[in-house]
Amino acid sequence: MKLATYKDGSRDGQLVVVSRDLSSAHYASGIATRMQQVLDDWNFLSPQLEDLYQTLNHGKARHAFAFEPEKCMAPLPRAFQWADGSAYINHVELVRKARGAEVPESFYSDPLMYQGGSDDFLGATDDIVAPSEDFGIDFEAEVAVITADVPMGSTPEAALEGIRLVMLANDVSLRNLIPAELAKGFGFFQSKPATAFSPVACTPDELGAAWQGGRVHLNLESVWNGKRVGLCAAGEEMTFHFGQLIAHICKTRNVRAGSIVGSGTVSNKDWSRGYSCIAEKRAIETIESGAPKTEFMRWGDTIRIEMKGADGQSLFGAIEQKVVPLQAS
């Protein structure tokens, strides 16, 4: 099934069920009002939502309405945890090679991961508010999952069973703030502002054969200022699948229902596929010619991130954002 959260003036919004073709929706208020409710009581509530989903797909839902992505908050508007990995080792290799650094051997066996802010996510069409263009504004096109409870010590295989929903993410980065933060030895903080997510989150079964081994075997498209800059394969080169990423968290703690885990920037060795973040393009330019040429995003720039199924239809709806300056309050 496909689920979304509509804006209603509250912090957690209103849960809606969305049709497979993303054309129509229906409030789920007779079953649950918020996404977190469903995640907390999945076994009881999800079958009821699936029934509504089937009714909606057959055109028999009495109070269906046209689905409007611009009315969406993030599918889970605020989460107990947002942990973002760097599961595509090619991305790490490129960035490090551009600055003349080796990739430690441990990076190939132990995932990189940081914990981002989870109290203030962006809807798919919400603006990216940037206080300064000098911060080095970058998009990062990713895949993400929302989990059930996954206990400490879980294996990657067991962790896969804890994946409830799949969606897309734009993990915005402020690249020029990163070096000074990492130099402190404590990781990202100010350089990672609010993350945006696709309008819709899907259960893994909606992906059909594309969902294999904890990976989504489809292309992720990035369109910057109206120009397609990336059509990257999200499956084959994902070094660590989502079960491994979740198990990495579970090494020392429980993962609770409503945790979001990101894949990191989708990246391919074939440079002709383009890029899912500007930093990677700049790394390639540095490797090829000694210096980056592509500038980071400016106020007024737009980014569109989308993934389509084998039938050419959008699976999650598109993330469509504009970069704007911070307005004085």
Side-chain angles (χ1 to χ4, degrees), residues 13-29:
Q14 189 74 28
L15 182 68
V16 298
V17 177
V18 184
S19 64
R20 181 168 285 117
D21 65 1
L22 306 183
S23 66
S24 61
H26 195 288
Y27 284 111
S29 48

Side-chain angles (χ1 to χ4, degrees), residues 63-112:
H63 301 292
F65 50 86
F67 179 60
E68 298 177 77
E70 60 272 16
K71 292 186 177 180
C72 288
M73 305 174 77
L76 184 59
R78 50 181 177 167
F80 291 113
Q81 178 168 218
W82 160 230
D84 196 23
S86 188
Y88 297 86
I89 198 67
N90 181 66
H91 173 73
V92 180
E93 290 172 340
L94 282 174
V95 172
R96 292 181 75 90
K97 184 177 180 180
R99 66 172 191 261
E102 294 291 325
V103 179
E105 279 300 316
S106 63
F107 282 33
Y108 295 91
S109 58
D110 196 35
L112 285 170

Side-chain angles (χ1 to χ4, degrees), residues 129-153:
V129 179
S132 172
E133 292 180 318
D134 296 334
F135 287 173
I137 309 157
D138 198 356
F139 63 89
E140 288 193 50
E142 305 187 6
V143 182
V145 299
I146 305 177
T147 76
D149 286 332
V150 185
M152 181 165 49

Side-chain angles (χ1 to χ4, degrees), residues 103-180:
V103 179
E105 279 300 316
S106 63
F107 282 33
Y108 295 91
S109 58
D110 196 35
L112 285 170
M113 187 170 284
Y114 84 93
Q115 194 160 34
S118 59
D119 57 332
D120 184 32
F121 293 140
L122 299 177
T125 64
D126 290 345
D127 291 335
I128 299 169
V129 179
S132 172
E133 292 180 318
D134 296 334
F135 287 173
I137 309 157
D138 198 356
F139 63 89
E140 288 193 50
E142 305 187 6
V143 182
V145 299
I146 305 177
T147 76
D149 286 332
V150 185
M152 181 165 49
S154 291
T155 65
E157 294 73 26
L160 278 178
E161 299 302 313
I163 294 173
R164 292 290 182 247
L165 296 163
V166 185
M167 56 188 177
L168 304 180
N170 180 15
D171 179 43
V172 179
S173 291
L174 303 176
R175 298 293 183 186
N176 293 339
L177 300 185
I178 289 177

